[in-house]
């Protein structure tokens, strides 16, 4: 799940640029003009050239009108884009009506506006345009002018062949539209999820930047605090032991000394010499991860097991955030208990998260980790958690995999019930070789 503002990310539907539709329509106008001239003048086939060029001119004038009305780059709404694409279907249908209907080899261009809609507009708008194109193809199969042919003769397709062309056109239209929509929708979802991931990482980077701000603040406050401490020390020598003002001065002196100690610690936060801050044991990592999720009516058990020394790695916000999302998901869906455990050996470190809920929904288990795929059905969640879109799980999976981890997800074997998530790293990814040597030297000195 996403925390804070990230849980309410709602990116708007993609909108087509007006320039895109205008340029595609200019391309259609050029192609239609060339085809009419070649057929009528080049090949000498008779056709209602005046009516045909009138339809082509309508598209050209529509483009001119749109550019005059909106000369600057503009992203139009789905409704406006749908109306323009609907006009393109009707204009193409009019040309096909004048030039042979479905017998015209260019009849498959009826699919073009639907393909544009499938890649850029919603499923509802695409279905409406697809129904319009299908209706136009159905009418053109029955009502149309004769196909232009040489010698003034009339070329008529057999009825069976016309029906076959109609079936092929409609089938191709449906398949291509669904395929294009699915591919475009997956790309949109992935882009939205990655944008959310970048927001989360930006938040973590902002928190890391506070290190430098703390160091700067400590440096700036050091001088006035030193002055206060020195003045308090000198004042304390001027009062008699039984003077009550001496206690106040002593308090000021002790608190200023405490402030200097705090600032000294802040200064060392970003220093490589502060191994206590820069490094974190696996057991401490688990406690930091589960601590924010205690007190929600679910018992969280933490256990570690493995040969000594315990793995100690550098602090990594991606690992803490990723594991935190997985633990939060387990707490949301657990009935009463979540178990978080860590095991390790010389080659790997593995962290397991188990809950006693209903487990992963079988229909989404193969797709877990994709953006906008909820990892469990809403009915299995606790009533106070609300439904999720699976975006938080996608972010957690992405962050953990970037640290070198592999995620394994399954439902617990009967008679146990619930979900089991195992995150495994090579030990070198958690604890570089240099850190192992330094850690062992430190333990040896202790």
């Amino acid at each position: 799940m996403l925390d804070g503002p990230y849980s309410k990310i709602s990116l708007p539907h993609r909108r087509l640029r007006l320039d895109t539709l205008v340029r595609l329509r200019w391309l259609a106008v050029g192609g239609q003009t060339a085809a009419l001239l070649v057929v009528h003048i080049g090949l000498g086939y008779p056709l209602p050239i005046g009516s045909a060029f009138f339809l082509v001119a309508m598209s050209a004038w529509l483009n001119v009108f749109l550019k005059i009305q909106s000369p600057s780059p503009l992203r139009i709404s789905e409704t406006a884009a749908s109306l323009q694409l609907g006009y393109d279907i009707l204009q193409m249908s009019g040309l096909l009506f004048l030039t042979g209907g479905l017998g015209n080899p260019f009849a498959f261009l009826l699919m073009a506006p639907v393909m544009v809609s499938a890649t850029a507009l919603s499923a509802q708008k695409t279905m409406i345009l697809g129904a319009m194109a299908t209706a136009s193809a159905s009418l053109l199969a029955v009502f149309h002018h004769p196909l232009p042919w040489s010698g003034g003769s009339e070329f008529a397709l057999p009825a069976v062949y016309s029906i076959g062309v109609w079936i092929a056109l409609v089938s191709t239209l449906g398949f291509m539209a669904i395929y294009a929509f699915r591919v475009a929708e997956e790309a949109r979802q992935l882009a939205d999820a990655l944008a959310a991931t970048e927001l989360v990482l930006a938040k973590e980077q902002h928190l890391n930047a506070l290190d430098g701000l703390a160091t700067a603040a400590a440096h700036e406050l050091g001088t006035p605090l030193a002055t206060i401490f020195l003045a308090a020390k000198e004042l304390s020598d001027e009062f008699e032991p039984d003077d009550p003002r001496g206690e106040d001065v002593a308090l000021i002196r002790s608190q200023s000394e405490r402030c200097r100690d705090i600032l000294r610690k802040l200064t060392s936060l970003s220093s490589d010499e502060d191994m206590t801050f820069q490094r974190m044991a696996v057991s401490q990592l688990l406690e930091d991860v589960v601590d924010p999720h205690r007190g929600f009516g679910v018992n969280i058990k933490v256990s570690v097991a493995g040969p000594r020394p315990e793995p100690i790695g550098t602090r990594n916000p991606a690992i803490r955030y990723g594991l935190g999302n997985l633990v939060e998901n387990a707490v949301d869906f657990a009935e009463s208990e979540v178990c978080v455990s860590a095991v390790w050996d010389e080659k790997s470190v593995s962290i397991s998260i188990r809950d006693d809920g209903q487990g992963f929904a079988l229909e989404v288990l193969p797709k877990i980790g994709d953006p906008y795929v909820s990892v469990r059905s809403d009915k299995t969640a606790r009533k106070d958690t609300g439904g999720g879109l699976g975006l938080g799980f996608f972010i957690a999976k992405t962050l953990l995999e970037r640290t070198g981890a592999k995620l394994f997800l399954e439902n617990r074997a009967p008679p146990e019930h619930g979900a089991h998530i195992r995150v495994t790293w090579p030990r070198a990814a958690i604890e570089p070789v240099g850190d192992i040597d330094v850690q062992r030297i430190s333990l040896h000195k202790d």
Side-chain angles (χ1 to χ4, degrees):
M1 314 299 170
L2 283 173
D3 295 329
Y6 306 108
S7 61
K8 303 182 183 296
I9 290 176
S10 178
L11 298 177
H13 290 297
R14 297 297 188 270
R15 294 182 175 182
L16 275 172
R17 291 182 59 189
L18 179 61
D19 279 348
T20 300
L21 291 179
V22 168
R23 290 176 182 177
L24 289 175
R25 195 171 294 112
W26 278 126
L27 182 62
V29 167
Q32 292 166 1
T33 301
L36 290 174
L37 291 176
V38 169
V39 171
H40 185 66
I41 298 177
L43 299 179
Y45 289 2
L47 54 81
I49 193 68
S51 299
F53 270 117
F54 174 76
L55 292 176
V56 175
M58 284 183 60
S59 292
W61 280 112
L62 175 61
N63 273 355
V64 172
F65 171 77
L66 291 174
K67 291 306 295 181
I68 292 176
Q69 185 183 36
S70 304
S72 59
L74 174 69
R75 292 188 181 275
I76 58 177
S77 66
E78 282 199 345
T79 300
S82 300
L83 291 175
Q84 291 193 43
L85 293 173
Y87 162 80
D88 293 331
I89 292 175
L90 295 177
Q91 190 261 0
M92 189 66 197
S93 299
L95 285 176
L96 292 174
F97 171 77
L98 297 173
T99 55
L102 296 187
N104 191 315
F106 295 99
F108 280 85
L109 289 176
L110 272 175
M111 297 190 301
V114 183
M115 295 301 101
V116 174
S117 174
T119 58
L121 304 183
S122 64
Q124 179 184 12
K125 298 295 191 295
T126 302
M127 290 176 63
I128 293 174
L129 292 173
M132 181 182 297
T134 301
S136 298
S138 302
L139 291 174
L140 289 172
V142 180
F143 306 103
H144 58 82
H145 282 253
L147 183 69
W149 207 250
S150 61
S153 60
E154 182 176 331
F155 181 83
L157 293 173
V160 175
Y161 186 84
S162 297
I163 294 174
V165 172
W166 180 87
I167 293 174
L169 178 62
V170 173
S171 301
T172 304
L173 176 65
F175 172 79
M176 294 297 293
I178 294 174
Y179 176 78
F181 178 79
R182 287 302 307 162
V183 171
E185 184 66 14
E186 290 176 3
R188 286 193 289 264
Q189 290 180 352
L190 183 60
D192 291 349
L194 289 176
T197 303
E198 291 177 356
L199 289 176
V200 173
L201 290 176
K203 176 185 175 183
E204 297 297 336
Q205 292 173 355
H206 177 70
L207 292 176
N208 290 337
L210 293 179
D211 252 1
L213 293 176
T215 303
H219 178 74
E220 293 294 330
L221 293 174
T223 300
L225 274 176
T227 303
I228 294 173
F229 178 78
L230 181 60
K233 183 179 179 181
E234 293 177 351
L235 285 174
S236 63
D237 297 335
E238 297 181 4
F239 296 112
E240 298 296 332
D242 57 347
D243 193 327
R245 292 176 295 176
E247 296 180 1
D248 295 335
V249 173
L251 178 62
I252 295 174
R253 179 179 175 181
S254 64
Q255 292 303 306
S256 61
E257 181 65 24
R258 182 184 176 190
C259 289
R260 292 176 65 184
D261 292 338
I262 294 173
L263 291 179
R264 192 178 300 112
K265 292 179 180 179
L266 290 177
T267 306
S268 66
L269 290 184
S270 58
S271 172
D272 292 338
E273 297 177 358
D274 188 355
M275 294 295 102
T276 301
F277 178 79
Q278 293 295 332
R279 294 181 179 175
M280 174 183 286
V282 170
S283 57
Q284 182 185 355
L285 170 65
L286 295 188
E287 289 295 337
D288 283 1
V289 167
V290 304
D291 188 63
H293 307 291
R294 298 187 189 275
F296 290 94
V298 175
N299 182 34
I300 303 179
K301 294 183 177 180
V302 178
S303 62
V304 295
R308 296 295 175 179
E310 179 180 349
I312 297 180
T314 57
R315 292 174 179 265
N316 190 326
I319 293 178
R320 294 178 64 187
Y321 185 88
L323 291 177
N325 267 281
L326 299 182
V327 172
E328 181 182 2
N329 183 75
V331 171
D332 285 345
F333 290 92
E335 292 183 359
S336 61
E337 185 177 82
V338 172
C339 297
V340 182
S341 60
V343 295
W344 61 84
D345 54 29
E346 294 181 355
K347 296 182 178 180
S348 64
V349 177
S350 180
I351 295 177
S352 295
I353 302 171
R354 299 179 179 88
D355 64 65
D356 60 352
Q358 297 299 315
F360 296 113
L362 296 179
E363 63 271 16
V364 301
L365 188 57
K367 299 183 290 184
I368 291 177
D370 293 342
Y372 297 100
V373 174
S374 182
V375 295
R376 316 195 198 188
S377 57
D378 291 341
K379 63 181 180 181
T380 64
R382 295 187 295 115
K383 292 182 179 180
D384 58 341
T385 61
L389 296 175
L391 183 57
F393 195 93
F394 166 79
I395 294 175
K397 182 173 180 290
T398 301
L399 293 176
L400 291 172
E401 288 179 344
R402 286 183 177 180
T403 66
K406 291 184 179 180
L407 274 70
F408 303 90
L409 304 100
E410 59 186 358
N411 288 323
R412 302 173 69 178
E416 297 178 336
H417 57 88
H420 177 202
I421 302 176
R422 181 162 52 91
V423 187
T424 303
W425 292 267
R427 184 155 178 164
I430 293 292
E431 184 183 48
V433 176
D435 288 344
I436 296 176
D437 296 339
V438 173
Q439 172 203 349
R440 290 176 176 170
I441 293 173
S442 176
L443 290 174
H444 179 71
K445 289 182 178 179
D446 293 341

